[in-house]
Amino acid sequence: MKRMLLRIMCLSITALILLLSTACGASNGANENAEPTASADSSPTQATEPKTEQTTAPQTEEPRPMAVTYPISEIYDKLKLHGRTQLVSGGLACDFTASGIEFSVCAEGAVELKVQPTKDAYFTVWIDGVRQEQRFYAPVGSATLTLANFSDGQFHTVRVLKQTEAQFSLCLFQSLSFLGELGEKPAESDTYIEFIGDSILCGHGNLCLNGEQGQGTALYEDGTIAFAYLTSEALGADCSIVSCSGVGLDKGFTSFKATDFYPMQSYYRNSAIVYDFSRTPDLVVINLGTNDQTKGSAKAAVMEGVTCLIGMVREKYGRVNIVWTYNMMGDNNVIPWIREAIEALGGEGAGLYLCELNRDRQGGNGHPTEDGHLIAARKLRLFLQEKNLLT
């Protein structure tokens, strides 16, 4: 009996051990796929600091360099001058038809010219020898003309000339503004022509038809497309156009004669300052007589005017060739007198020539049109070639 009881107790203890062992195994089995925990000697996990976004002061762009303004007097030696010009207080006086400046510039952005006309004035601009379509306008007072905008870092040649005659508006070129540098002064042409004359050379009325309102104003006049400038441009010549609407050899629509107007630097600016005649032309072209015919000048007075004017030219320049053009507006009555005076001075043997141009009175106030001037320029060039006057 005691032996049986002892055997039952042993079996009970064995069953209890098995039960405990099974329970532990079940606990271990539940973590078979769990990540192993760090061993006691592993380094402790570092706590992660919360990320903070780095901030820097906002980047500001470098200020764009500003254009520099150069008074014309300070850059005078870099400018090629066109026509009769003079430095005066406040700038460069560019009063005459097709007077102005030319320069070489490497610029970033706008190239601007500040001008000061006494009345409305208009200008033509060429970039690298190419005439720009825009007609530049400056009202009385002060105006800034944007001549060009560049961005290629290259040097360009810029020419700006006044379309408007002195009688309509005197003008100062005051300053140039740009970001960059000026190049060397553009070279003068090997050929230089001086023109002396009246409204025809000024281009009076060549931008409108006869009878249009406002035809006798600067708005309808462009001397850079009149036959004088067109002839010079086609020949690659520099030129000076000393002309004035209404002037005559003896009588006209002005209070003075051509022989009063011609010797002065700029008669309408200051009638007492004499021009220096420092550059001798290869040829002088004169277009006068129309106003004398209109006003009824006498033969003797016209012939005296011809003789006096040619004498002035020869006194200043020596035996330069002179071509007298006529016929664009009709001056048939006085031309025989002009011819007689020229023959008396030696005619072609003395370097004095007469060149008949085409008649055209379809423009403003009965003046030649733009097309008429184109034809006249071609006729004059052919005449100069035929007479071999510029070789």
Side-chain angles (χ1 to χ4, degrees):
M1 183 72 177
K2 288 182 180 178
R3 185 178 294 176
M4 184 177 291
L5 183 61
L6 180 63
R7 187 173 181 180
I8 292 172
M9 288 178 62
C10 288
L11 289 172
S12 298
I13 292 171
T14 300
L16 179 62
I17 290 172
L18 290 172
L19 180 62
L20 291 173
S21 175
T22 302
C24 289
S27 175
N28 288 338
N31 290 296
E32 283 181 356
N33 296 323
E35 290 291 331
T37 56
S39 59
D41 58 355
S42 297
S43 301
T45 303
Q46 298 293 326
T48 304
E49 294 289 335
K51 289 186 178 181
T52 57
E53 189 173 334
Q54 287 189 336
T55 59
T56 57
Q59 296 295 317
T60 58
E61 291 185 4
E62 289 292 328
R64 181 182 176 85
M66 300 292 290
V68 179
T69 297
Y70 303 89
I72 291 294
S73 58
E74 292 184 7
I75 56 175
Y76 186 75
D77 61 340
K78 296 285 190 179
L79 305 176
K80 176 181 177 179
L81 307 179
H82 288 262
R84 285 192 183 183
T85 61
Q86 63 176 140
L87 278 176
V88 297
S89 176
L92 181 72
C94 298
D95 298 332
F96 288 96
T97 298
S99 64
I101 61 174
E102 186 173 344
F103 54 93
S104 174
V105 64
C106 178
E108 180 67 27
V111 178
E112 297 179 331
L113 172 67
K114 186 177 181 181
V115 298
Q116 187 181 64
T118 57
K119 296 179 182 178
D120 287 359
Y122 295 86
F123 304 85
T124 306
V125 172
W126 288 258
I127 306 296
D128 297 327
V130 178
R131 182 186 178 108
Q132 304 301 290
E133 292 184 4
Q134 179 182 354
R135 189 184 192 203
F136 291 79
Y137 165 68
V140 59
S142 183
T144 299
L145 310 177
T146 301
L147 307 179
N149 272 282
F150 299 120
S151 60
D152 59 3
Q154 303 295 316
F155 275 96
H156 296 276
T157 301
V158 180
R159 184 194 326 158
V160 53
L161 302 182
K162 186 166 172 273
Q163 298 179 358
T164 310
E165 65 176 287
Q167 188 177 20
F168 284 163
S169 180
L170 305 177
C171 188
L172 291 182
F173 285 20
Q174 296 182 299
S175 63
L176 278 174
S177 298
F178 57 90
L179 176 62
E181 62 176 316
L182 288 175
E184 293 301 312
K185 173 182 174 180
E188 291 182 342
S189 171
D190 292 335
T191 304
Y192 173 51
I193 305 174
E194 182 178 76
F195 292 85
I196 308 167
D198 50 28
S199 56
I200 297 174
L201 297 189
C202 297
H204 184 103
N206 62 357
L207 295 181
C208 67
L209 296 178
N210 194 18
E212 286 189 18
Q213 186 175 1
Q215 59 188 343
T217 65
L219 177 62
Y220 295 112
E221 176 182 272
D222 182 355
T224 66
I225 55 172
F227 86 84
Y229 190 78
L230 291 175
T231 299
S232 300
E233 190 173 33
L235 294 171
D238 292 339
C239 74
S240 175
I241 301 175
V242 189
S243 58
C244 169
S245 289
V247 73
L249 292 160
D250 169 54
K251 293 180 181 179
F253 295 87
T254 61
S255 61
F256 50 84
K257 303 176 183 179
T259 48
D260 301 319
F261 182 77
Y262 171 67
M264 300 304 152
Q265 170 67 47
S266 177
Y267 190 93
Y268 280 104
R269 181 174 291 274
N270 188 328
S271 61
I273 299 178
V274 177
Y275 180 57
D276 63 11
F277 296 92
S278 58
R279 186 178 181 186
T280 300
D282 300 282
L283 175 73
V284 173
V285 178
I286 301 173
N287 190 98
L288 288 166
T290 301
N291 294 309
D292 293 278
Q293 175 163 313
T294 302
K295 286 293 187 177
S297 292
K299 176 181 178 179
V302 170
M303 291 184 66
E304 181 182 355
V306 172
T307 303
C308 184
L309 183 57
I310 290 176
M312 282 184 173
V313 172
R314 288 285 173 84
E315 178 188 356
K316 300 300 182 182
Y317 298 133
R319 194 187 178 282
V320 62
N321 288 323
I322 299 174
V323 175
W324 201 292
T325 56
Y326 65 97
N327 190 48
M328 288 201 79
M329 290 181 64
D331 37 25
N332 293 340
N333 292 345
V334 300
I335 284 302
W337 306 339
I338 293 173
R339 187 185 303 276
E340 187 175 338
I342 286 176
E343 291 299 328
L345 293 171
E348 291 193 6
L352 304 173
Y353 302 83
L354 276 163
C355 175
E356 182 177 358
L357 300 178
N358 51 296
R359 183 73 62 88
D360 180 359
R361 302 203 62 172
Q362 301 304 306
N365 287 330
H367 285 69
T369 60
E370 180 179 355
D371 287 343
H373 279 287
L374 286 167
I375 295 170
R378 184 164 58 250
K379 281 182 172 289
L380 179 55
R381 292 198 309 274
L382 291 173
F383 180 86
L384 298 179
Q385 293 170 3
E386 176 190 340
K387 297 294 183 179
N388 203 28
L389 293 180
L390 285 177
T391 56

